[in-house]
Amino acid sequence: MNAKFKANFDLTLKPDYRPLELEKEIREFWEKNQIQKRLMDFREKNNVGLAGYVEGPPTLNGIPHVGHARGRVIKDLRYRWKTMQGFFVPFWAGWDCQGLPVELEVEKLLGVKNKRELIERVGEERFIEECKRAIMKYHREWVEADRKLGVFINQEKAYWTYKDEYIEREWQYLKRAWEQGLLEEGYYVVAYCPGCQTSLSSAEVGYEDSYKEVEDPSLYFKFKVANSQNEYFLVWTTMPFTIITDMMLAVHPEAEYAKVKVENEKWIMVKQRVEPVMQELAIKKYEIIETATGKSLEGTRYDYPFKDVIPKQAELDKHPHVHTVVCEDFVDVNTATGVVHLSPGNGEEDFFAAQKRGVPIFAPFDDEVKFTKEAGVFSGIFARDTDKMVIEELRKRGLLVEAKTVKHEYPTCWRSHHKLVWLARKEYFLRTDKINAKIVEAAEKVEYFFESPKNRFLSFLKEGKPWCISRERVWGTPLPIWRCENCGEKTLVASKKELFEKALEKPPKNFELHKPWIDRVAFKCEKCGGIMRRENYVLDTWHNSGASPYARFTDEEFEKYVPTDFLTEGIDQTRGWANSLLLEHVILTGKAEAPYKAFLFQGLTQDAKGRKMSKSLGNIVEVNRLLEEYSADVCRFYMLWKCSPVDFMNFDLKELSRRPHQVLSTLYHLNRFFLQNAEYDNFNPQKHTLEWALKEKQLKSPDLWLLSKLQATISECTVRLEKCEFNFAMSTLEDFVIDSVSRVYVPMIRKELWTDDPKTLNRRLAIYATLWHVLKTVTLLFNPVTPYLSEALYQRVYRKLDPTLPESVNFEGWPKPEEEMRNKTLEEEFQLLFKCVSLVYSARQSARLKRRWPLSKMVIVAPENICSTIKNFEEFMLELANVKNVEYAQKAPEYTSQKGWVSTSEDPIQVLLNIERDENLIGEGLMRDLARRVQALRKELGYVPTDILNTVHIAELDEENIRLLKPYLRDMAELVRAKNVQLHGKREDAKLEWHEYQLDEKKVYIAIA
Ligand SMILES: [Zn+2]
Ligand SMILES: [Zn+2]
């Protein structure tokens, strides 16, 4: 670890906190010295334990935006923090490369409209090459974003979900499923996107934003009861095309159904809906003439009306259950007519109802969801385009009651936004429904940190539907099942080796585990000697990424790192990666165990106004662009500080530049203040330790108080990080830096540092020992959040003063609270002191007196014990309050009732403040006002606090002010670290570089020479 430090590294802290510049320098430092790689190598060999990790792979089909950045910042925070705690984390990248999103983008790029055109015009081979090229383009963007953000993820060890070696290991999950009888082929109703021409998993159907308001027909129609004169079932639907595949009507067995007389017809519907439906249909004259239970209607046949135009339906009609009434509990009697028509080819519940009764599934659709020949007159037409024709056919037959339109929420494809169609298709399924209890049990053991995402995830899992994993696409992991053309025998192959051994012809050199190459491999059937060909599917891309815990590691690594310690992804991944990881792991291991011990779901990131970021709104903030102008550290801090990780975050650039920037800037300047003073007095951290200061009895109560507060900050910050309450961890750090160190401690000790008297040198060194310890610890606490700033401070302050320190802040350990430094009594006592000071501040505010203006006297009225406590710290309280004298009393003294006194109080303390200022106090106040401007000028001109100025010149004060100021020129010289201060009448009197300042209503001129 003591490798040679590369030279030419800038070791100065510039006067201003300029994060962009600093981050560039630190990045170069890291890269030149290979800090990231060496840190990981070091921890792999020297650790207190392992903290497993698998990267949730970003899909390489988009530019990284701030929402992604938030997730990556959380991951990196966790990595750096755990590494500092001594754990080895395999923080290795991974990329999700295959699947529909990539295909759709490449289709667009190639200008093809659908899959058929793609295969005919482009061909699968070229298409695969284009997909690979497309992902590489995005890969460069992601790597650059990680680099700029300072994310220490190992890019060299990244996994790629399209590589053969990954796919082979992914197949092992299928092999395990196959062995357990959990991988099956079968008809099933799936959500199908006519645009993408593939089925979707039930998880995909529920995606954010996939429900859109659409307009559909609202249709009331009648089916005539067979062999009746004028009796009809009244039915409602929004999908008229499903009447083409209608097989049964369903009623609720326990509900009461009515025969309603309308003109000379009798309509059958559920009784409780008669009135509202009649109202909706604007039928005023009607009469309920008979009622009966749903159960009594069971088995009633009805005349299916399209037998003449759909010959297949005429054939199916011969089946005993087809076109009869069945009883089903799922029938909702609170909407529509309580009579539901069932199309097992187009609905999940309908499908089950048919399967139960052995009713055939009629699903005459091709891949573009056009009706096939079996649908008679409707053949060749896209399903949803037949809605109008169906309505017309009903009208012709006198069966149409009313056709209107309705607007309702309807699921659309999350990628292409086509309306989904439910279709019975032959697909491959992982029968996760069979092992659902185990899956839920596994999920219940996981730590989720927050209740709402946990509930969301568990209730989704409890639905327990089978997982349709086959996709009729190209760019994906091939389903490794071959089927005999002759006898239907099937075999699953789970490795390249096995595949090569079985292949009838030796595969070519450029062979890879993708279409079209794999489709050209045929086997010989072991049962009948026939030819076996591959089932033409690829796998759901979620299966591909969900295989990462096993597929990305070796067997040995898998044993070590899985179940992983901690994973985090967006809340949308409850239905995505978190789900597929879990299902696959339970299949692979057969255990009720998730592949992760803890999972943090992050809220999504929106724009400043709380709107979703989208291309159409043009409000997407790209990471690489953002970080050209804004600091990575400030962004990182902001993302963690602004809200809880589970909350939706409104990302606001204005807010980013305010408080978060201020916090980091304050930390920077505190370090600079410390360094300059410490260097001036030749502070040596190895010699002037806290132990030394204690032994020398040089530590005073402010130092002890600050050290105590530091311990509280360390434990609070650590506990909050453990609970993933990052925002609270950040505000703990924020409070410590801004309030405890900057607003309280530094003002209490500043005066002691002004002098260079050798007699008080040890006291100054004790203050430096305190600041060294406190600020260095804070720098470490900030490292997982603001790695650039922490590294810069570490190199330019701490390693500068102590070159024996490790070569990077990342090699430091995570601070642990030291109980012996904690002093709760002292903290409580200081709390009282701060209360008095804040009462003085509010009294000053009400009298419009600046804090810089000294006042003569205050009285503290409080119980005796409180008074005596404050008395112990009197000197510091007066310093902070900027008051010359204090008296203590249990009752307000008589004289404070006179003019010139103001009072503020907060039980049990009352503060009385004398606000009258004589010439001396006014003069001193004026001096301080001017001194502040001189300090600003010093800084502007690049002087460091320890530089001693020759002369400070002040011009154009009025007579009165000159008179008031004169007695304080000596004090002022000391305060601004100048040998002397000279007053001038007109600024023309001296040829100097004057700087203009506003002093109350007037102008004043200052020069430094
Ligand atoms: Zn689609
Ligand atoms: Zn065979």
Side-chain angles (χ1 to χ4, degrees), residues 7-64:
N8 69 34
F9 178 64
D10 189 357
L11 276 174
T12 57
L13 274 191
K14 302 202 172 85
D16 291 317
Y17 174 49
R18 289 199 214 111
L20 276 180
E21 228 169 81
L22 176 148
E23 286 165 18
K24 194 168 158 277
E25 291 163 7
I26 294 298
R27 197 151 47 231
E28 280 165 13
F29 164 75
W30 284 339
E31 284 168 6
K32 262 189 201 154
N33 294 283
Q34 290 188 290
I35 296 297
Q36 183 186 330
K37 185 180 177 300
R38 296 201 358 249
L39 174 66
M40 197 166 281
D41 291 349
F42 174 74
R43 273 289 169 254
E44 195 165 5
K45 290 182 205 107
N46 308 278
N47 59 61
V48 299
L50 302 170
Y53 178 79
V54 182
E55 168 70 345
T59 307
L60 293 178
N61 87 312
I63 306 275

Side-chain angles (χ1 to χ4, degrees), residues 120-137:
E120 283 167 6
R121 247 190 54 203
V122 181
E124 287 177 332
E125 265 176 65
R126 180 167 162 229
F127 183 61
I128 296 274
E129 288 315 309
E130 293 291 340
C131 287
K132 286 183 194 165
R133 190 173 304 162
I135 59 171
M136 287 318 291
K137 182 179 74 191

Side-chain angles (χ1 to χ4, degrees), residues 529-568:
I531 300 286
M532 296 185 104
R533 298 203 182 275
R534 196 180 74 84
E535 292 283 74
N536 199 26
Y537 302 99
V538 296
L539 296 179
D540 179 0
T541 179
W542 293 108
H543 188 279
N544 188 217
S545 56
S548 54
Y550 184 73
R552 82 97 56 238
F553 290 128
T554 62
D555 282 349
E556 192 193 328
E557 288 166 342
F558 178 74
E559 281 304 313
K560 272 204 290 200
Y561 304 138
V562 182
T564 64
D565 211 51
F566 172 86
L567 296 182
T568 178

Side-chain angles (χ1 to χ4, degrees), residues 484 487 489 525 528 530:
C484 174
C487 72
E489 174 73 5
C525 176
C528 77

Side-chain angles (χ1 to χ4, degrees), residues 953-957 987 994-997 1003-1007:
H953 303 269
I954 299 170
E956 306 212 358
L957 286 169
R987 77 198 117 114
W994 292 106
H995 298 261
E996 185 182 296
Y997 288 92
K1003 287 199 168 72
V1004 61
Y1005 296 85
I1006 301 175

Side-chain angles (χ1 to χ4, degrees), residues 100 104 193 195-196 200 413 415-418:
L100 200 51
L104 291 181
C193 173
C196 305
L200 273 67
C413 171
R415 280 287 160 191
S416 67
H417 295 294
H418 285 86

Side-chain angles (χ1 to χ4, degrees), residues 337-537:
T337 66
V339 182
V340 181
H341 97 90
L342 301 181
S343 300
N346 294 104
E348 202 177 0
E349 285 169 326
D350 317 39
F351 177 86
F352 286 127
Q355 273 211 322
K356 253 193 325 208
R357 297 172 175 87
V359 167
I361 309 298
F362 183 43
F365 301 100
D366 68 10
D367 287 350
E368 288 169 51
V369 200
K370 287 178 180 164
F371 280 108
T372 60
K373 282 207 182 79
E374 285 194 324
V377 292
F378 302 102
S379 100
I381 304 168
F382 174 55
R384 298 250 34 175
D385 291 343
T386 62
D387 281 347
K388 283 204 180 92
M389 288 173 72
V390 168
I391 294 172
E392 205 37 52
E393 289 292 329
L394 290 169
R395 192 194 311 277
K396 274 198 273 183
R397 290 164 170 80
L399 298 170
L400 181 71
V401 178
E402 188 189 72
K404 287 201 291 196
T405 57
V406 63
K407 276 189 184 159
H408 63 160
E409 297 274 300
Y410 188 85
T412 62
C413 171
W414 62 286
R415 280 287 160 191
S416 67
H417 295 294
H418 285 86
K419 275 193 220 173
L420 297 179
V421 181
W422 267 258
L423 288 180
R425 286 183 73 90
K426 197 199 85 174
E427 300 280 359
Y428 275 86
F429 292 89
L430 283 176
R431 292 297 305 274
T432 46
D433 52 324
K434 289 188 184 170
I435 51 167
N436 195 242
K438 216 186 251 180
I439 289 164
V440 173
E441 189 191 333
E444 276 166 348
K445 292 180 200 160
V446 174
E447 169 65 72
Y448 300 95
F449 305 100
F450 300 93
E451 277 303 304
S452 70
K454 176 186 178 178
N455 296 339
R456 181 169 160 164
F457 188 40
L458 287 175
S459 71
F460 166 69
L461 288 172
K462 281 173 188 161
E463 288 174 20
K465 293 190 178 163
W467 180 5
C468 172
I469 55 160
S470 46
R471 295 289 182 274
E472 292 101 304
R473 298 295 316 190
V474 181
W475 178 231
T477 299
L479 178 75
I481 295 178
W482 273 255
R483 175 207 291 270
C484 174
E485 285 178 336
N486 186 39
C487 72
E489 174 73 5
K490 283 184 203 165
T491 185
L492 180 140
V493 162
S495 74
K496 217 175 184 172
K497 186 166 165 274
E498 208 184 336
L499 187 142
F500 276 46
E501 281 166 8
K502 288 194 166 179
L504 286 174
E505 270 176 54
K506 197 171 174 273
K509 266 206 171 126
N510 67 342
F511 179 83
E512 58 178 275
L513 296 181
H514 277 117
K515 284 161 82 68
W517 301 281
I518 196 164
D519 289 338
R520 295 175 188 147
V521 177
F523 302 157
K524 189 175 153 194
C525 176
E526 283 177 9
K527 215 168 158 196
C528 77
I531 300 286
M532 296 185 104
R533 298 203 182 275
R534 196 180 74 84
E535 292 283 74
N536 199 26
Y537 302 99

